[in-house]
Amino acid sequence: MLIKGQSDIEICISDGGYICLKQRQDEEGEQSITIAPAYAPKVAGAITALQEFAQRKFEKSLPVED
């Protein structure tokens, strides 16, 4: 499953039943995070709790120049 508007991030279920988040980055290759199903609600809750704070910080950050 791809996240709409975020084609470099894929979420899938591994053969062992783990939730896998994979992000492709040109320079670093593929990065992967694997989460046991039992921890999914805790991870989702933590992301939700940090979302507003992260958005404010993102909006305040300076643009990166190439």
Side-chain angles (χ1 to χ4, degrees):
M1 164 195 283
L2 295 175
I3 296 174
K4 186 176 181 178
Q6 211 51 52
S7 62
D8 63 328
I9 298 176
E10 177 185 353
I11 300 174
C12 62
I13 305 297
S14 72
D15 292 340
Y18 286 82
I19 299 166
C20 300
L21 240 102
K22 296 179 184 178
Q23 183 176 28
R24 291 178 302 281
Q25 295 181 342
D26 294 336
E27 299 153 3
E28 300 173 20
E30 184 176 273
Q31 296 178 342
S32 181
I33 298 172
T34 304
I35 303 165
Y39 293 112
K42 290 180 181 183
V43 172
I47 290 170
T48 299
L50 290 172
Q51 183 178 8
E52 186 177 313
F53 174 76
Q55 184 63 40
R56 285 194 312 267
K57 190 170 184 173
F58 177 78
E59 290 169 356
K60 288 180 182 179
S61 68
L62 297 174
V64 177
E65 293 185 21
D66 291 330

